[in-house]
Amino acid sequence: MELTLWTYEGPPHVGAMRIASSMKDIHYVLHAPQGDTYADLLFTMIERRGQRPPVTYTTFQARDLGGDTAELVKKNIKEAVERFKPKTLLVGESCTAELIQDQPGALAKGMGFDMPIVNLELPAYSKKENWGASETFYQLTRTLLKEKVSSSEKISPLRWKELGRRPKVNILGPSLLGFRCRDDVIEIQRILSEQGIDTNVVAPLGASPDDIERLIDAEINICLYPEIAEASCEWLKRNFGMEYTNTIPIGIKNTIEFINEVHNKLNLPLTNKEELENKSKLPWYSKSVDSNYLTGKRVFIFGDGTHAIAAAKIAKEELGFEVVGLGTYSREMARQVRATAKDLNLEALITNNYLEVEDAMKKAAPELVLGTQMERHSAKRLGIPCSVISTPMHVQDVPARYSPQMGWEGANVIFDDWVHPLMMGLEEHLIDMFKHDFEFVDGHQSHLGHTATNTKDILNSDEKKENNPKEGIIWTESGRAELTKVPFFVRGKVKTNTEKYAILRGIPEINDETLYDAKAYFS
Amino acid sequence: MSKVEFNKETGPREVFCGLTSIVWLHRRMPDAFFLVVGSRTCAHLIQSAAGVMIFAEPRFGTAILEEKDLAGLADAHEELDRVVNDLIARRPEIKTLFLVGSCPSEVIKLDLATVAEKLNKRFLGQVRFVNYSGSGIETTFTQGEDGALKALIPLMESSNEEKLLLVGTLANNVEDRFKKIFKNLGISNIESFPPRQSTELPKIGKNTKVLLTQPYLSDTVRDLKHRGCEIISAPFPLGIEGSTEWFLAAAKAFKINELKVHEIISPLIDRAKLALESHKEILKGKRLFLLPESQLEISLARFLHNECEMDLIEVGTPYLNKDLMKEEINLLPDNTKIVEGQHVEKQLDRVRESNPDLVVCGMGLANPLEAEGISTKWSIEMVFSPIHGIDQAADLAGLFSKPLRRNQILTTKTLVTH
């Protein structure tokens, strides 16, 4: 039993709903009690979709349990097929139905329909949402393409040359409730098209079962979100020889690497190499003098595997931040995240307990958090600015404007989204220069609404927690007075550092001089 | 009884389960914690229904059942013990811990009553444990509150003191208004159930006169009756009419002269009628379709027809207790079509056929209906907003006039652009 207050991922059948809802001409009959219909609001409220997810719930009740729930399943399947006339039917169960073992998929297959039926077995008590989405997409691909496996020759990435046409690729992995997927697809398609590469199919987002059957018309697959598409890409590689890409085009360097990888795989010469760096404003904005203030800013990163890894690279190499924490809730991607963390001399935090993340965040004392909605909450409580880079989805993460994370425009979005929660360089310089002016007394702060940043709060909050300050250390009048002169946005850090210094040196009382000694020591 | 048409419907539903009521119960009783014993789905549901992460550390959580918990029930009990220990160590301020059953825990027959009993012995004097089921195979949405309150009744001490007990979760400001008005009427001993602190449960007995504030408390009412309480039969205090009848029923039970009631509440009524006018202008003649969710539908239909002059197409309710709703049904217009239960697809077919001006529905259906050009109002807003009482009648009407007003603004071409 695992105690959760908030959870990063839903159950696996919600993952299946993400695939079904992303696609056309598909219907999902879900053996589930009425309460499970809440999942509809993820799509209709959070993603503001104007359509209901294509899901029929069997809505079994306690009184049905004594009777024949299997009959109820069949009745619902029949009604759903008649009403929605899908080209492919998904059949599965939620956690409660799994316990009563009606095997709805097998029942559906015995009903004599002439459409492909995908029987989804998603173990609700051991797996989670992203796994469920991945498995559903994989089972669907497999079901719709398995008859073509034996008849088909292995697909060469160079086939486009023989056929005398532009190379074609599939973009796999984008789905509803994925972070900014809708816009990423547009951006990636645009980039590929500029390079003379056509998109054959985008799936699951916007695809129909017919499109899945057409996947093998492309030369290679772009595995855009490995959480969802890797299993399918691997199956397509094994059975049709289709190569797939590994680089996720988030950030300038990754985007360039991605373009190179695609070209290499297709044996397509890169014609406009030198232009690439100028496609996005990020490199110049990052180099511009105002961005000096970004240097060494301490940043804590937590999210899904794909976005967390990309964020670490961008933070360090493209914005000049120092990454002081990196983690993910995607256990499936733990290995890659650990490797990235190791490169940064960090130990990756792999957990789905948001309280552990909050603790790690507190310990790392970052100046910026890049996380999920939960880290946004924790950061708010700790008075640290935060930008959201990953699911789980919040209605705020589905903006009206075009705001991809991937490609050139994605890099622009990332620069703005990550940097704006911080005080801008000019602003920070001015505050530093004019910090003794009356306008910068406590209470006059930036628009960010920092909490617990004035001296009294900082000192008091510790006193409340620990009864006395750290290990009996006392702040004298002069020490406190000097601390108030430190700009509020670094005051917490200065305080911790000074206390650390005092403990190190066995100084029982911190006065103004101790503060400067500590400053010199740590600088 | 008026010539009301009763129908029953079964099929796929689109309704929140009883777990969702935790979202308002935990706000009512800040010293209580609600621990759902369920699946990842349950955790995800509450998180999604609670406005997706609006609280940094909520007073509810889920003990998520894992594969190994399903294998042996004895282990599940031990595991639950461990989780509870952790929780109480982390949150020592908790006074009452509700163990909330879910669909999976009901199906595997996890005996939460026995667990609660054991924990009560262990944490005697520190934390009280109660259990109820909010499972979606047994309860819908607001019925969760019924379960939670019913579970508290055995903890309520007996007293023969004469008192008025308001039953059902109210917004604090509404509760304060009610108490003030009752005091003006001459009823001074008033208590609320649930109370604002879970440990301050009212004492009850044969001189307790129960006035319901919410229509979804069938089981609670039955148990209060068993404890000797007298249930005052009345419509529910939504709108001017319902609230007036409600005050009058209470006054009658306390043998207070009806004239005095009118004397005290008529200024309130005049004021409320005035405030209602602007909303009525928008709502009048508009056609309303209520989909089942909160069990407040019948009272809302009565208010929106009788006081706001809306036309009722269909009044859905997930569950109908004809006895509790008797007074409400009497006030409905002739030929009102009430549908208990749901077949969501067939019901939506009827919505489209009847082309209503406004649909009251759950959150999963709202945007799809809006996309079809049908204005909607979310049911869940009724359980979160202060809508009870005469003073709130205009606010209640406002919840329904706003979507219509909004669509009017957005579809009217007022800007001359040429």
Side-chain angles (χ1 to χ4, degrees):
Chain A
M1 233 172 252
E2 180 201 339
L3 175 65
T4 337
L5 302 177
W6 292 128
T7 156
Y8 289 102
E9 286 183 79
H13 72 261
V14 166
M17 281 181 70
R18 284 173 58 183
I19 305 301
S21 307
S22 296
M23 294 181 64
K24 289 178 285 196
D25 302 325
I26 279 203
H27 200 83
Y28 182 21
V29 176
L30 183 60
H31 195 19
Q34 63 184 348
D36 291 352
T37 59
Y38 83 88
D40 286 1
L41 75 85
L42 302 171
F43 300 91
T44 66
M45 298 294 290
I46 294 178
E47 277 219 295
R48 289 184 216 260
R49 295 258 298 172
Q51 295 150 280
R52 293 165 64 206
V55 180
T56 294
Y57 303 85
T58 60
T59 311
F60 62 86
Q61 291 176 280
R63 62 165 179 263
D64 299 319
L65 291 179
D68 197 351
T69 42
E71 271 313 305
L72 185 71
V73 174
K74 281 156 88 173
K75 181 170 163 274
N76 276 286
I77 291 173
K78 187 166 171 283
E79 275 189 29
V81 168
E82 279 167 8
R83 182 178 280 267
F84 299 104
K85 301 182 176 57
K87 286 188 176 162
T88 298
L89 187 70
L90 305 179
V91 183
E93 51 201 354
S94 78
C95 47
T96 308
E98 188 181 328
L99 297 171
I100 54 180
Q101 301 180 332
D102 282 326
Q103 300 186 314
L107 290 174
K109 285 190 172 169
M111 287 174 74
F113 298 118
D114 60 358
M115 80 196 83
I117 294 171
V118 182
N119 176 14
L120 294 176
E121 286 177 17
L122 311 173
Y125 296 91
S126 55
K127 299 290 188 183
K128 294 194 288 244
E129 180 180 331
N130 277 328
W131 184 89
S134 168
E135 177 70 8
T136 303
F137 187 48
Y138 162 65
Q139 292 295 350
L140 187 66
T141 307
R142 206 173 142 253
T143 305
L144 295 175
L145 282 170
K146 79 178 165 219
E147 280 175 21
K148 298 190 177 164
V149 168
S150 52
S151 61
S152 173
E153 283 175 34
K154 297 287 181 211
I155 296 167
S156 157
L158 311 179
R159 182 173 62 178
W160 60 279
K161 288 184 178 172
E162 296 153 28
L163 296 172
R165 56 158 171 77
R166 284 167 38 129
K168 281 203 275 192
V169 301
N170 299 314
I171 297 179
L172 302 185
S175 74
L176 293 180
L177 293 181
F179 198 73
R180 311 274 171 93
C181 282
R182 179 191 64 191
D183 296 343
D184 284 349
V185 168
I186 297 172
E187 186 68 15
I188 295 306
Q189 275 186 288
R190 185 179 295 164
I191 287 176
L192 292 170
S193 161
E194 274 179 9
Q195 301 292 331
I197 300 163
D198 290 334
T199 305
N200 179 49
V201 168
V202 177
L205 195 63
S208 70
D210 293 346
D211 293 324
I212 300 295
E213 292 182 27
R214 289 197 303 115
L215 284 179
I216 49 176
D217 293 349
E219 274 77 63
I220 63 166
N221 289 316
I222 307 286
C223 182
L224 208 56
Y225 299 93
E227 278 94 339
I228 287 173
E230 200 169 22
S232 304
C233 286
E234 193 54 45
W235 185 82
L236 288 163
K237 185 178 176 185
R238 223 169 37 241
N239 291 284
F240 295 96
M242 287 180 90
E243 300 273 336
Y244 63 93
T245 57
N246 289 312
T247 318
I248 311 298
I250 304 181
I252 295 302
K253 295 195 172 181
N254 277 334
T255 302
I256 293 173
E257 206 179 311
F258 166 78
I259 293 171
N260 284 329
E261 189 186 2
V262 173
H263 280 77
N264 286 338
K265 286 220 156 48
L266 293 168
N267 194 12
L268 182 74
L270 196 61
T271 52
N272 44 3
K273 200 172 183 175
E274 55 289 336
E275 282 173 30
L276 294 183
E277 274 234 6
N278 298 322
K279 294 268 184 189
S280 164
K281 293 194 185 72
L282 184 141
W284 165 242
Y285 270 44
S286 213
K287 276 180 195 149
S288 82
V289 70
D290 187 73
S291 292
N292 261 330
Y293 78 105
L294 297 177
T295 312
K297 276 259 185 310
R298 299 159 53 78
V299 54
F300 181 95
I301 301 167
F302 191 87
D304 66 39
T306 298
H307 289 89
I309 292 171
K313 183 162 179 179
I314 297 170
K316 182 167 184 274
E317 296 173 13
E318 297 177 32
L319 296 172
F321 290 150
E322 183 193 350
V323 181
V324 294
L326 175 64
T328 184
Y329 58 82
S330 318
R331 283 188 195 274
E332 293 88 353
M333 289 186 71
R335 196 175 44 79
Q336 295 98 306
V337 175
R338 280 204 185 95
T340 310
K342 209 177 157 205
D343 283 347
L344 296 160
N345 289 323
L346 294 168
E347 193 171 334
L349 176 67
I350 314 290
T351 180
N352 50 21
N353 180 348
Y354 84 99
L355 295 170
E356 261 180 57
V357 183
E358 184 179 317
D359 283 346
M361 190 191 297
K362 219 189 288 177
K363 236 175 253 162
E367 288 154 286
L368 175 69
V369 171
L370 302 172
T372 73
Q373 286 298 327
M374 274 165 264
E375 284 67 50
R376 193 174 66 102
H377 257 302
S378 304
K380 203 193 277 174
R381 294 211 308 169
L382 298 170
I384 305 168
C386 176
S387 189
V388 174
I389 60 158
S390 157
T391 52
M393 292 292 262
H394 186 277
V395 67
Q396 277 182 358
D397 303 321
V398 194
R401 68 179 192 280
Y402 180 61
S403 56
Q405 297 288 290
M406 294 185 172
W408 313 128
E409 187 59 22
N412 295 339
V413 169
I414 283 174
F415 185 89
D416 289 347
D417 281 0
W418 295 12
V419 161
H420 287 181
L422 295 166
M423 253 179 306
M424 295 302 283
L426 205 55
E427 196 182 359
E428 195 173 302
H429 275 92
L430 288 174
I431 288 176
D432 203 34
M433 282 191 273
F434 296 104
K435 68 188 170 203
H436 299 296
D437 281 25
F438 70 93
E439 283 166 25
F440 293 104
V441 296
D442 288 339
H444 269 272
Q445 301 189 343
S446 93
H447 55 285
L448 293 171
H450 291 256
T451 52
T453 41
N454 62 51
T455 331
K456 226 172 70 194
D457 282 354
I458 284 179
L459 290 172
N460 285 347
S461 67
D462 268 16
E463 274 161 24
K464 252 183 247 156
K465 252 179 271 161
E466 303 167 18
N467 260 335
N468 54 347
K470 272 196 189 95
E471 305 188 17
I473 287 173
I474 291 162
W475 283 77
T476 67
E477 272 305 305
S478 74
R480 276 171 196 256
E482 205 57 34
L483 190 60
T484 58
K485 292 177 193 162
V486 175
F488 58 83
F489 49 87
V490 284
R491 203 173 287 156
K493 202 170 80 180
V494 169
K495 179 179 174 273
T496 321
N497 277 351
T498 310
E499 286 174 354
K500 215 190 277 173
Y501 175 81
I503 292 163
L504 210 70
R505 290 290 154 99
I507 300 169
E509 284 190 359
I510 295 174
N511 60 25
D512 50 348
E513 292 303 323
T514 325
L515 204 121
Y516 282 102
D517 290 341
K519 191 181 170 204
Y521 178 81
F522 284 109
S523 62
Chain B
M1 194 171 277
S2 59
K3 298 177 287 295
V4 171
E5 184 196 323
F6 292 109
N7 302 272
K8 269 196 183 185
E9 196 171 52
T10 55
R13 288 184 166 206
E14 180 78 36
V15 183
F16 275 149
C17 69
L19 293 181
T20 330
S21 53
I22 289 171
V23 177
W24 64 88
L25 285 170
H26 90 119
R27 286 168 64 185
R28 173 67 184 182
M29 294 178 278
D31 61 343
F33 192 98
F34 293 80
L35 180 64
V36 177
V37 184
S39 61
R40 182 164 299 281
T41 316
C42 306
H44 199 233
L45 153 74
I46 305 176
Q47 175 163 331
S48 309
V52 190
M53 304 168 225
I54 43 173
F55 309 105
E57 180 143 356
R59 286 183 306 276
F60 50 78
T62 310
I64 297 183
L65 294 164
E66 293 168 295
E67 210 129 321
K68 61 178 193 285
D69 301 310
L70 304 176
L73 285 181
D75 292 346
H77 287 167
E78 273 170 34
E79 281 286 287
L80 192 51
D81 249 25
R82 179 182 60 77
V83 166
V84 165
N85 276 334
D86 289 353
L87 188 60
I88 288 172
R90 185 177 165 79
R91 305 292 294 267
E93 76 281 7
I94 296 170
K95 294 282 181 284
T96 306
L97 200 148
F98 288 88
L99 295 173
V100 190
S102 66
C103 298
S105 72
E106 295 293 314
V107 168
I108 64 168
K109 302 205 173 357
L110 204 56
D111 185 0
L112 294 181
T114 306
V115 176
E117 207 177 298
K118 278 187 195 157
L119 289 166
N120 265 325
K121 278 183 197 144
R122 180 134 57 86
F123 289 94
L124 195 67
Q126 191 191 347
V127 189
R128 280 188 326 202
F129 292 82
V130 274
N131 77 288
Y132 72 94
S133 171
S135 93
I137 55 174
E138 285 162 319
T139 65
T140 67
F141 199 27
T142 49
Q143 277 176 294
E145 176 171 335
D146 195 17
L149 297 192
K150 178 183 150 75
L152 288 172
I153 293 174
L155 303 176
M156 292 158 91
E157 289 174 30
S158 295
S159 158
N160 285 335
E161 200 185 357
E162 184 179 56
K163 68 173 75 172
L164 176 64
L165 185 66
L166 303 179
V167 176
T169 298
L170 287 174
N172 287 353
N173 62 333
V174 167
E175 186 192 5
D176 291 342
R177 278 299 288 167
F178 279 160
K179 284 189 174 168
K180 187 181 161 198
I181 295 168
F182 280 122
K183 279 187 183 143
N184 290 343
L185 292 176
I187 305 171
S188 53
N189 196 2
I190 313 157
E191 288 187 274
S192 292
F193 181 51
R196 293 188 195 186
Q197 293 295 320
S198 67
T199 45
E200 288 165 12
L201 291 171
K203 295 176 181 171
I204 50 170
K206 62 178 169 37
N207 292 321
T208 304
K209 296 178 169 55
V210 168
L211 193 54
L212 286 177
T213 66
Q214 305 282 15
Y216 42 73
L217 298 167
S218 301
D219 290 352
T220 304
V221 164
R222 195 182 317 121
D223 283 16
L224 287 170
K225 259 189 218 167
H226 284 313
R227 290 287 300 270
C229 300
E230 177 195 334
I231 313 294
I232 302 169
S233 178
F236 293 90
L238 295 172
I240 299 171
E241 181 190 29
S243 306
T244 304
E245 294 294 322
W246 189 74
F247 281 123
L248 284 169
K252 197 174 163 196
F254 282 83
K255 300 191 173 56
I256 291 161
N257 190 326
E258 200 179 313
L259 285 175
K260 186 168 182 190
V261 180
H262 286 300
E263 187 190 313
I264 285 166
I265 63 172
S266 56
L268 308 185
I269 293 175
D270 291 345
R271 190 171 62 193
K273 277 186 176 161
L274 199 66
L276 210 51
E277 274 311 310
S278 64
H279 300 291
K280 198 156 106 183
E281 252 171 55
I282 297 172
L283 297 171
K284 189 174 180 175
K286 296 287 193 318
R287 304 169 70 246
L288 176 71
F289 201 117
L290 296 109
L291 294 177
E293 179 119 78
S294 67
Q295 290 192 50
L296 288 162
E297 292 84 4
I298 290 173
S299 306
L300 292 172
R302 181 260 302 155
F303 165 69
L304 290 166
H305 176 268
N306 296 0
E307 294 176 54
C308 303
E309 298 179 32
M310 291 187 88
D311 295 335
L312 305 177
I313 302 171
E314 180 171 322
V315 184
T317 181
Y319 171 71
L320 178 62
N321 180 333
K322 282 187 189 163
D323 198 29
L324 274 188
M325 297 311 285
K326 191 175 62 197
E327 305 283 343
E328 285 287 1
I329 290 169
N330 280 339
L331 295 170
L332 284 174
D334 284 357
N335 302 319
T336 303
K337 184 183 179 190
I338 294 180
V339 178
E340 184 187 3
Q342 187 176 36
H343 185 302
V344 66
E345 305 296 347
K346 288 182 183 166
Q347 201 159 32
L348 287 174
D349 286 346
R350 295 199 296 276
V351 167
R352 293 179 188 115
E353 272 160 33
S354 60
N355 193 26
D357 296 296
L358 187 68
V359 174
V360 176
C361 64
M363 295 176 109
L365 294 173
N367 264 338
L369 287 170
E370 293 280 350
E372 290 183 32
I374 298 168
S375 294
T376 58
K377 177 77 256 158
W378 312 330
S379 303
I380 198 166
E381 214 167 329
M382 308 320 153
V383 293
F384 282 111
S385 311
I387 56 170
H388 292 72
I390 299 171
D391 294 301
Q392 315 286 349
D395 290 348
L396 178 57
L399 292 180
F400 300 91
S401 66
K402 198 169 187 180
L404 293 174
R405 202 149 46 86
R406 173 155 192 78
N407 274 358
Q408 238 169 41
I409 294 167
L410 296 180
T411 53
T412 312
K413 291 191 180 103
T414 48
L415 294 175
V416 182
T417 49
H418 52 80

